[in-house]
């Protein structure tokens, strides 16, 4: 199998894709970086949007640290996905907008309709994007039959879930609808903070990506649908954050924010995952 990866440069992508790229260098056909927000040139767009949309303050700061500050530090330390790809002479392209199939074929000279495309960006896929011949996959941070939407980790903490799992999906045009291609094992998250749940989710997705080779991926879009109706959650609100504080459920601490900065600076992939494991097992 050959893979094409579309991603945003952020801590989540680093944790999800670093080991996968390392383990599959010969099968990575192309890595394509997209800006975090395609509709605005303002790098602080998501932060401003979060403030005005009444998002939880801990979530706004988390996004600031794992995107803006991450990009600054990882560039200084050459510890991002772009640096890794260039170091290992992998095909890498930096684009300002999501490409159509004509542009993809132009960028990727040996493009093949059998190539598996992973897309982990803030860009919302439309029918014209999903309707190409290639299988398109993305990762979701929870079981979509229970939770759809963004930043589900806060909801998992609120609902005091004992276990979580993540999935690789073939997406549909609707939010987090589609066909589950591969599910992770259940991981115990009872009594964990929101940040610990975030790291656990990232870790599960990393493991899941490295198991994709055992699955025969066949494109089924548009003949796929998640029949179970599930509520779609938006970004965590300040009311949700207040509920967590009131019920002594930890969100993201100052120590956690410093740990994000530390992970941003790590170049060695094995060290990256080792430090995450140590932090989770404290």
């Amino acid at each position: 199998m050959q893979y094409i990866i579309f991603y945003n440069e952020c801590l989540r992508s680093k944790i999800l894709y670093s080991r996968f790229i390392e383990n599959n260098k010969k099968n990575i056909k192309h890595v394509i970086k997209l800006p975090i927000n395609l509709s605005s040139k303002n790098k602080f767009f998501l932060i401003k949007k979060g403030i005005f949309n009444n998002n939880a303050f801990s979530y706004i700061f988390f996004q600031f640290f794992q995107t803006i500050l991450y990009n600054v530090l990882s560039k200084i330390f050459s510890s991002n996905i772009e640096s890794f790809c260039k170091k290992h002479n992998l095909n890498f392209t930096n684009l300002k907008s999501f490409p159509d199939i004509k542009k993809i074929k132009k960028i990727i000279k040996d493009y093949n309709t059998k190539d598996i495309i992973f897309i982990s960006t803030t860009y919302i896929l439309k029918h014209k994007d999903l309707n190409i011949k290639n299988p398109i996959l993305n990762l979701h941070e929870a079981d979509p039959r229970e939770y759809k939407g963004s930043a589900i980790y806060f909801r998992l903490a609120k609902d005091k879930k004992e276990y979580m799992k993540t999935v690789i999906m073939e997406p549909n045009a609707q939010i987090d609808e589609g066909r589950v291609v591969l599910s992770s094992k259940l991981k115990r998250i009872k009594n964990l903070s929101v940040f610990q749940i975030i790291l656990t989710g990232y870790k599960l997705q990393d493991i899941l990506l490295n198991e994709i080779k055992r699955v025969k991926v066949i494109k089924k879009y548009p003949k796929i649908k998640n029949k179970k109706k599930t509520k779609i959650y938006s970004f965590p609100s300040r009311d949700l954050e207040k509920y967590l504080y009131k019920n002594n459920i930890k969100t993201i601490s100052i120590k956690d924010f410093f740990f994000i900065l530390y992970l941003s600076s790590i170049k060695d992939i094995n060290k990256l995952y080792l430090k995450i494991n140590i932090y989770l097992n404290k």
Side-chain angles (χ1 to χ4, degrees):
M1 288 188 284
Q2 297 286 300
Y3 306 103
I4 300 167
I5 298 172
F6 287 85
Y7 82 106
N8 294 140
E9 195 72 78
C10 62
L11 181 62
R12 177 180 184 265
S13 292
K14 179 177 180 176
I15 297 172
L16 264 60
Y17 285 112
S18 290
R19 182 151 42 198
F20 179 71
I21 295 172
E22 166 75 17
N23 292 343
N24 297 278
K25 288 195 286 284
K26 292 182 179 179
N27 300 105
I28 301 295
K29 186 167 282 189
H30 216 102
V31 179
I32 299 173
K33 175 183 170 183
L34 294 172
I36 288 173
N37 184 68
L38 298 174
S39 62
S40 173
K41 294 181 181 179
N42 186 343
K43 291 183 179 180
F44 294 89
F45 175 81
L46 288 176
I47 309 301
K48 288 173 65 178
K49 185 178 179 182
I51 292 171
F52 289 114
N53 284 0
N54 200 39
N55 287 172
F57 287 114
S58 56
Y59 176 70
I60 294 171
F61 280 114
F62 172 70
Q63 289 297 346
F64 178 72
F65 272 72
Q66 86 144 351
T67 56
I68 305 298
L69 293 184
Y70 165 83
N71 272 276
V72 172
L73 279 176
S74 64
K75 190 169 184 179
I76 292 171
F77 288 94
S78 298
S79 55
N80 52 23
I81 290 176
E82 180 175 356
S83 298
F84 180 85
C85 290
K86 290 179 177 178
K87 178 183 176 182
H88 293 279
N89 296 315
L90 298 176
N91 294 319
F92 185 91
T93 301
N94 198 337
L95 294 181
K96 293 183 178 180
S97 61
F98 195 89
D100 58 21
I101 189 61
K102 288 182 180 179
K103 191 162 187 177
I104 291 174
K105 290 179 179 179
K106 186 176 180 180
I107 294 169
I108 304 171
K109 305 302 181 185
D110 55 345
Y111 163 83
N112 190 297
T113 56
K114 293 182 180 179
D115 296 335
I116 295 173
I117 298 178
F118 281 102
I119 299 180
S120 297
T121 74
T122 54
Y123 177 75
I124 297 175
L125 295 168
K126 302 176 180 66
H127 173 70
K128 65 180 178 66
D129 306 313
L130 295 166
N131 205 37
I132 65 174
K133 293 182 179 179
N134 300 73
I136 294 177
L137 302 177
N138 65 14
L139 293 107
H140 185 58
E141 58 208 36
D143 185 343
R145 292 170 297 183
E146 292 187 67
Y147 295 92
K148 296 177 183 175
S150 299
I152 297 299
Y153 307 110
F154 285 78
R155 295 285 171 183
L156 293 171
K158 176 185 177 292
D159 294 344
K160 296 183 179 180
K161 298 294 286 187
E162 189 167 356
Y163 296 94
M164 75 174 294
K165 69 175 179 178
T166 63
V167 302
I168 293 178
M169 295 177 63
E170 181 185 9
N172 206 337
Q174 288 74 41
I175 295 175
D176 294 330
E177 282 205 2
R179 178 174 67 97
V180 173
V181 174
L182 191 62
S183 297
S184 73
K185 294 179 180 179
L186 290 172
K187 185 71 175 178
R188 187 176 173 85
I189 56 168
K190 188 176 181 180
N191 299 325
L192 294 186
S193 70
V194 169
F195 184 67
Q196 289 172 315
I197 296 173
I198 289 171
L199 283 184
T200 300
Y202 288 177
K203 183 180 172 183
L204 287 175
Q205 290 172 328
D206 155 56
I207 294 169
L208 205 53
L209 267 172
N210 284 281
E211 293 178 352
I212 193 65
K213 287 187 289 187
R214 64 182 176 86
V215 178
K216 186 176 182 181
V217 180
I218 300 171
K219 187 178 183 73
K220 292 190 178 181
Y221 180 86
K223 296 178 180 180
I224 52 174
K225 189 173 183 181
N226 184 343
K227 296 179 180 179
K228 187 173 180 178
K229 298 297 180 182
T230 307
K231 183 177 179 181
I232 298 174
Y233 295 99
S234 60
F235 298 107
S237 67
R238 282 169 211 167
D239 285 339
L240 172 56
E241 185 175 51
K242 288 176 184 176
Y243 175 89
L244 296 176
Y245 289 146
K246 186 177 179 181
N247 288 273
N248 296 316
I249 300 172
K250 295 179 181 178
T251 57
I252 308 172
S253 68
I254 293 174
K255 182 182 177 183
D256 296 333
F257 287 121
F258 277 106
F259 188 60
I260 291 172
L261 299 180
Y262 177 59
L263 293 178
S264 302
S265 68
I266 296 176
K267 290 178 69 172
D268 184 273
I269 291 172
N270 290 325
K271 182 178 179 181
L272 174 72
Y273 296 107
L274 176 64
K275 293 299 180 182
I276 291 171
N277 286 337
I278 292 172
Y279 201 80
L280 284 173
N281 291 323
K282 282 184 178 179

